[in-house]
Amino acid sequence: ADLNLQEIHDTLISVAHEAGRMMLAANPTDIAQGTKINSVDIVTEADKAVEALVSSRLLKAYPNFAFIGEETYKPGMKLTSTPTFIVDPIDGTTNFIHGFPSACISLGLAVDHTPTVGVVYNPWLDQLYTAIRGQGAFLTQGANWGVEGGAGRKNKLPIAKNPAPLRGLDSSLVSIEWGSHRDGPNYELKTEVFKKLCASKETGGAMVHSLRSMGSAALNLCAVAAGQLDVYWEGGCWAWDVCAAWCILAEAGGLMAGGNPGVWEPKIDDRKYLAVRGAPSGQKELVQEFWAVIGDGQ
Ligand code: IPD
């Protein structure tokens, strides 16, 4: 059946705003916190409450769609070709509990395994990234962010396809994340990659301009989409961290490759990703340069 993507997009935006109000109203230092795989893999009552709100709103509006959410995910749940909402109620939970204003609600729709609509909303900064497949990516934010217009006004601006060519890793601002796994081979791989990215060329490193971590996979991807970061690499995030922002990245001319060498067409649930900003040239070369830093990966 033909999907009304515009209507789905508008519904996702209104749900994101409602969820954003709920996040702002929650006091993360007061609310009950729990942990998942270890003490840094945190979940709060707000994560669960926002997911409950989002799933009830979305499944009421689209009862035939599937739903995968971070807080209700069970191992073995598989993404099918059915239109599926893929949702992270609070991406950046660690920032949320520390009051660091880089966290968002990430609402994606995958159709036939392809990110098709994406809405990423940071309620603290009132920044809304949106995209529908084939229709461009947009950022709506308060006019006091240096864009045209008077204070208090909102501007919805297309995210321009970036005109600046990429010049290689040594001219790149790269985002990475520690994620929650802090031991084992995955941790060693991350540590090695971060060291090699930063080290001087004399010592065999790539000497990138620097490393950044937004603390939210979705916001890392949106920053790459907006051209604020050149590259983002993570080995360990989930479909709900990436689905929405992947659509935004692709619509802004960005490239999503796999976090492991040789993967040019990653799947939504591959867990390892390498995103490169939009540019008229240099994207594939940068991916290859990054893969060379990783070596065989894992
Ligand atoms: C996490 C954040 C973090 C990333 C992890 C994610 P959560 O999501 O996006 O930046 O490193 O891989 O799981 O737990 O805050 O929803």
Side-chain angles (χ1 to χ4, degrees):
D2 278 348
L3 298 177
N4 184 339
L5 296 180
Q6 185 65 46
E7 184 194 87
I8 295 167
H9 158 275
D10 295 351
T11 303
L12 291 179
I13 290 176
S14 100
V15 171
H17 280 133
E18 190 181 359
R21 286 191 291 278
M22 192 176 201
M23 283 153 72
L24 292 179
N27 180 347
T29 53
D30 284 353
I31 50 189
Q33 290 175 20
T35 53
K36 295 189 272 190
I37 57 166
N38 59 24
S39 65
V40 297
D41 190 17
I42 300 160
V43 57
T44 70
E45 290 303 321
D47 294 74
K48 294 179 191 162
V50 172
E51 183 162 322
L53 171 86
V54 169
S55 63
S56 76
R57 292 280 186 275
L58 294 182
L59 291 175
K60 187 160 177 236
Y62 298 96
N64 298 328
F65 288 14
F67 182 93
I68 296 178
E70 175 171 24
E71 309 310 338
T72 46
Y73 171 80
K74 303 264 176 313
M77 272 185 185
K78 278 265 168 270
L79 178 63
T80 66
S81 52
T82 305
T84 304
F85 292 115
I86 305 188
V87 167
D88 192 341
I90 302 183
D91 185 35
T93 304
T94 307
N95 287 338
F96 174 60
I97 62 162
H98 287 274
F100 189 81
S102 176
C104 64
I105 161 147
S106 163
L107 304 179
L109 177 76
V111 180
D112 260 333
H113 302 263
T114 303
T116 304
V117 184
V119 167
V120 172
Y121 182 53
N122 176 343
W124 287 274
L125 302 184
D126 197 16
Q127 290 183 318
L128 177 72
Y129 289 90
T130 54
I132 299 174
R133 190 157 186 251
Q135 297 184 33
F138 295 86
L139 170 58
T140 307
Q141 61 185 351
N144 55 345
W145 274 80
V147 288
E148 273 178 42
R153 255 188 51 201
K154 293 262 190 86
N155 283 330
K156 178 177 178 182
L157 295 175
I159 300 176
K161 307 255 184 229
N162 203 312
L166 289 155
R167 297 187 202 288
L169 267 181
D170 65 357
S171 301
S172 296
L173 188 60
V174 177
S175 68
I176 45 89
E177 290 286 343
W178 285 108
S180 39
H181 288 276
R182 302 296 169 86
D183 48 28
N186 178 269
Y187 183 73
E188 274 162 37
L189 170 73
K190 285 187 279 200
T191 312
E192 274 312 301
V193 170
F194 300 172
K195 270 163 62 181
K196 283 191 210 152
L197 285 170
C198 284
S200 72
K201 295 207 168 165
E202 291 70 35
T203 58
M207 198 141 166
V208 299
H209 275 180
S210 198
L211 300 180
R212 297 287 179 266
S213 303
M214 308 290 288
S216 148
L219 290 176
N220 281 312
L221 287 169
C222 287
V224 174
Q228 299 158 357
L229 297 167
D230 299 297
V231 185
Y232 165 50
W233 178 79
E234 183 159 353
C237 42
W238 296 86
W240 45 80
D241 298 316
V242 298
C243 178
W246 186 331
C247 182
I248 294 160
L249 174 80
E251 287 304 312
L255 177 72
M256 188 73 132
N260 277 340
V263 182
W264 284 107
E265 292 188 4
K267 300 193 185 66
I268 299 187
D269 45 11
D270 268 359
R271 310 273 327 264
K272 292 182 176 152
Y273 309 94
L274 175 60
V276 176
R277 72 162 165 84
S281 61
Q283 285 179 311
K284 291 205 161 156
E285 290 80 357
L286 200 61
V287 168
Q288 267 156 339
E289 207 186 334
F290 203 106
W291 284 343
V293 169
I294 300 178
D296 282 344
Q298 359 200 334

